[in-house]
Amino acid sequence: VYTVDQHILMVLRNVRRFFIPEHAHEYPFCSQLAAGWDQPWLLYVAALFHDIAKGRGGDHSELGAREVRRFARQHGLGRADGELIEFLVREHLSMSAVAQKQDLSDPAVIAAFAGRVGDERHLTALYLLTVADVRGTSPTVWSAWKGKLLEDLYRATVRALGGRAPDQDAVVEARKRQALARLARDAPRPAAAPALWGMLDPGYFMRHEPDDIAWHARVIEAAAAAAPAGATLVRARRSPVGEGLQVLIHASGRRDLFARICGYFDRADFSIQDAKIHTASDGWALDSFQLVSELLPEQAEPLMARIEAELPAAVDSSQPLAPPRLGRVSTRVRSFPVAPHVDLRPDEKAQNWLLAVSAGDRTGLLYSIARVLAAHAISVELAKITTLGERVEDVFLLRGEQLQDARTRVAIEQELLQALAPGG
């Protein structure tokens, strides 16, 4: 939305507001961290330099780091101060990328990021600059959901830097206990929660907060008592984070389930921010989606009722997947087109595959991607959807034996590029 110089000054303004008590209500956690920060001017200099090298060709983060290194030397900054500012300029995109594109439930992701920042001082400075930067990109880019992802990454990294590396078994048991405590407030308390949890892998508990886990158990047991066995369950509620909706789908697993869900949300004009996909040992899927809509929050209740009434039929349909709607491309995308990009590679453990796609935003884009994956019987384990103005950058965690075949991977990449193209 802004030119580079306008953006830089907007980021500087945002950083400064963290240190002004009258603005503490805007972003309380940032203001809390800023209150304990001894040298605000370091962050101001980093804000001024973070995008200064845009448009020069090459990696603007590296080029900007060289510029600020020269500045620090010319102005006699101390070694530690100069190093911190250079780090912030060079790494100013890294925290947002990890928070929005990687699986924060994976201890390896947190450990790698902790190694990248090195200590809590660097982490805190980077967090404050990142929040100010994302907020200064466009009035519509920042959301409570993105804020939660960044804060979750910050807190997890602080624990890792303090030597408290996450123990998966301990985290799972702690979240079960916390979920049971929440369920204990219900009357009657769901009795089948432990049986349900026994069919889910640890990844489910690592990716969901205790409140979500308790909500899932509560609505699944209530539905089982009221609906015929084998019926698809859809429940929606106001999201605990931001002004969106949280939707739970409990349905018989099928390879095109993710595509059918995405197709419905596309037709109903919902935007998916996040999707967590899990399959229990009994073959049933337990999927959760974070949604936003232009009609929220005013029309939240009617929208939730509509989703719960209509989505089960869309999930259970035996009809072939409908073709995507012709995407509406904005004037900005036509004037400044984003070349589609697809990157498919194994994750660090070589157990799953990571798919990263970027393209100009348009309606039906996510559904187009989901249809290609469904056609190749590829299951989606996790989806992180990032919209940056007119550009989308989505990341998927995939699973499927077909991905071991190089020719299949090439075919998938080619089909995705075709689907991402305007009018595809």
Side-chain angles (χ1 to χ4, degrees):
V1 171
Y2 306 116
T3 59
V4 174
D5 55 340
Q6 288 175 315
H7 166 70
I8 286 174
L9 294 175
M10 185 69 72
V11 174
L12 179 62
R13 163 195 175 274
N14 291 342
V15 173
R16 180 174 174 271
R17 287 167 79 94
F18 295 152
F19 292 91
I20 300 175
E22 302 92 272
H23 298 293
H25 64 282
E26 296 176 346
Y27 297 93
F29 187 55
C30 290
S31 295
Q32 175 187 333
L33 294 177
W37 186 265
D38 56 345
Q39 295 173 291
W41 65 270
L42 292 173
L43 299 181
Y44 300 160
V45 174
L48 283 170
F49 276 88
H50 80 287
D51 273 353
I52 205 166
K54 274 197 169 180
R56 299 185 189 179
D59 184 340
H60 78 278
S61 299
E62 290 294 339
L63 294 174
R66 287 186 219 161
E67 288 281 349
V68 83
R69 187 188 315 141
R70 184 182 305 115
F71 173 89
R73 187 168 56 247
Q74 291 172 342
H75 290 77
L77 272 62
R79 181 175 179 179
D81 291 342
E83 184 277 329
L84 176 59
I85 297 174
E86 182 181 342
F87 163 83
L88 292 174
V89 174
R90 187 178 62 251
E91 299 290 339
H92 73 272
L93 298 175
S94 62
M95 190 169 193
S96 181
V98 172
Q100 297 183 56
K101 298 180 182 180
Q102 297 193 40
D103 184 358
L104 301 186
S105 69
D106 187 344
V109 169
I110 303 302
F113 183 68
R116 192 165 184 169
V117 298
D119 58 48
E120 189 169 343
R121 181 171 175 79
H122 283 67
L123 172 65
T124 298
L126 183 59
Y127 173 76
L128 292 173
L129 179 61
T130 300
V131 174
D133 189 18
V134 177
R135 286 182 56 209
T137 301
S138 161
T140 60
V141 164
W142 179 262
S143 68
W145 180 250
K146 289 180 182 177
K148 179 183 184 301
L149 293 176
L150 286 169
E151 186 173 335
D152 287 349
L153 176 57
Y154 176 87
R155 294 184 183 278
T157 306
V158 166
R159 291 193 293 270
L161 290 169
R164 297 175 306 221
D167 179 327
Q168 179 173 279
D169 293 338
V171 172
V172 168
E173 291 306 314
R175 292 192 173 178
K176 286 181 179 179
R177 287 196 302 272
Q178 293 165 11
L180 284 173
R182 285 163 171 76
L183 289 170
R185 300 196 293 262
D186 294 343
R189 168 182 166 178
L196 170 67
W197 295 346
M199 293 185 287
L200 292 162
D201 62 29
Y204 167 80
F205 299 95
M206 296 293 288
R207 290 176 183 153
H208 289 281
E209 299 293 333
D211 177 70
D212 298 332
I213 296 169
W215 180 57
H216 295 171
R218 187 183 306 118
V219 299
I220 288 174
E221 179 161 331
T232 294
L233 166 69
V234 175
R235 290 291 182 270
R237 67 173 181 174
R238 293 175 184 266
S239 173
V241 181
E243 296 180 341
L245 299 179
Q246 202 174 64
V247 178
L248 168 69
I249 300 103
H250 188 229
S252 179
R254 51 191 293 182
R255 74 178 189 182
D256 61 358
L257 179 60
F258 181 71
R260 291 190 180 277
I261 295 171
C262 290
Y264 170 78
F265 288 141
D266 174 56
R267 293 190 299 275
D269 291 323
F270 287 99
S271 294
I272 299 172
Q273 288 186 307
D274 187 78
K276 298 182 178 74
I277 315 299
H278 299 279
T279 302
S281 59
D282 62 356
W284 276 65
L286 198 162
D287 302 344
S288 60
F289 288 76
Q290 181 84 12
L291 306 177
V292 292
S293 166
E294 294 181 354
L295 300 178
L296 293 170
E298 291 80 5
Q299 298 294 319
E301 297 299 328
L303 289 175
M304 289 189 289
R306 177 185 174 189
I307 291 171
E308 292 180 356
E310 297 177 351
L311 184 51
V315 166
D316 294 337
S317 173
S318 58
Q319 297 297 315
L321 290 170
R325 294 187 295 169
L326 290 177
R328 299 187 300 272
V329 178
S330 70
T331 302
R332 287 180 61 86
V333 171
R334 288 196 298 269
S335 302
F336 304 98
V338 179
H341 177 74
V342 174
D343 182 32
L344 180 60
R345 64 181 66 186
D347 65 6
E348 294 180 356
K349 300 176 183 177
Q351 296 177 346
N352 298 312
W353 291 77
L354 293 173
L355 170 65
V357 302
S358 61
D361 193 18
R362 61 174 171 80
T363 57
L365 192 66
L366 181 59
Y367 177 50
S368 298
I369 296 170
R371 284 182 83 247
V372 171
L373 299 177
H376 290 273
I378 304 299
S379 63
V380 177
E381 303 292 315
L382 186 70
K384 301 194 112 177
I385 315 302
T386 304
T387 303
L388 303 169
E390 308 301 330
R391 186 176 80 256
V392 295
E393 295 183 356
D394 300 344
V395 178
F396 305 87
L397 185 66
L398 307 179
R399 183 173 296 173
E401 295 181 2
Q402 307 86 316
L403 293 171
Q404 302 297 331
D405 181 69
R407 287 178 297 182
T408 300
R409 293 197 302 272
V410 170
I412 291 173
E413 290 176 342
Q414 291 175 341
E415 291 174 31
L416 285 172
L417 284 171
Q418 183 177 359
L420 294 172

